[in-house]
Amino acid sequence: MKKIITIITIIIIIILLFFIKFNYKKIKMGNNISNKSADEIKEYILDINSYEANETITVESNKNTNIYVVNEQYIKDNNIFKRQILEPDNLNGISFMYDGTNLKIENSKLNLTKFYENYPYIGESEITLIDFINDYIEDEESNMSKSDEQIILETKLKNGKKYIAYKKLYINKSTGIPVKLEIKDITQKTVIYILYNEIKINNLQKEDILAFKVKELTNDI
């Protein structure tokens, strides 16, 4: 009887040790970002290899405010990019896909597609996260500040325009994940506000984005 009790006790101890070790690993992994310094989090963002984000984009003009919800994907290798418009309803189904060389514009609702071969670099919209990263790296006077909950990266565009001259990215200090991006005009008024509803970093593969072959498509949107 004592032998049986001893064996059961050993088994229980082994199980407890396993769960303690497993939970410790989970806690340690969950704290990897929160334990990093602001400088380490900044470098983590500036060195992003890929991301997928659901975004709410608010565009302010003198006459009105337009709001869009989009899904955006990017892979640094070969400069692969895709953006799908989810809202408003009249634009839902329109997507832009760039494979590093060719651009595909599609309207799935109307079953229309336009394909451009050897299209120039598509990083000129100025409102993507990768655009901000490139601008921040190029600006010798870009700076970083901190609040209790956020890390803030600010940059002035090297070739800034009247309506897009400054950018400010807010990063959650505990998760290391971008929260929002503000784009300001030459008077420092926010003209574009991007809220990252959800964003996943460095877990995309080329095959996750590219779903089309290089071929001539003649339909126009």
Side-chain angles (χ1 to χ4, degrees), residues 169-185:
L169 181 69
Y170 296 79
I171 304 165
N172 186 300
K173 190 183 290 186
S174 63
T175 65
I177 298 297
V179 177
K180 62 182 178 180
L181 174 63
E182 294 176 348
I183 300 175
K184 302 173 181 291
D185 65 14

Side-chain angles (χ1 to χ4, degrees), residues 38 144-152 170-173:
M144 176 182 69
S145 59
K146 295 175 285 185
S147 66
D148 291 339
E149 298 180 352
Q150 294 179 324
I151 297 166
I152 304 159
Y170 296 79
I171 304 165
N172 186 300
K173 190 183 290 186

Side-chain angles (χ1 to χ4, degrees), residues 3 21-22 28 35 38 51 57-58 65 87 101-102 107 122 133 161 167 169 172-173 182 191 196 199 205 216 221:
K3 191 174 182 180
K21 186 176 181 180
F22 176 74
K28 188 176 181 181
N35 288 335
Y51 67 83
I57 303 174
T58 302
T65 299
E87 295 179 18
T101 304
N102 309 295
N107 187 325
I122 194 172
I133 291 171
K161 306 176 183 68
K167 295 182 181 181
L169 181 69
N172 186 300
K173 190 183 290 186
E182 294 176 348
V191 292
Y196 297 106
I199 185 166
Q205 301 297 321
E216 289 289 340
I221 294 180

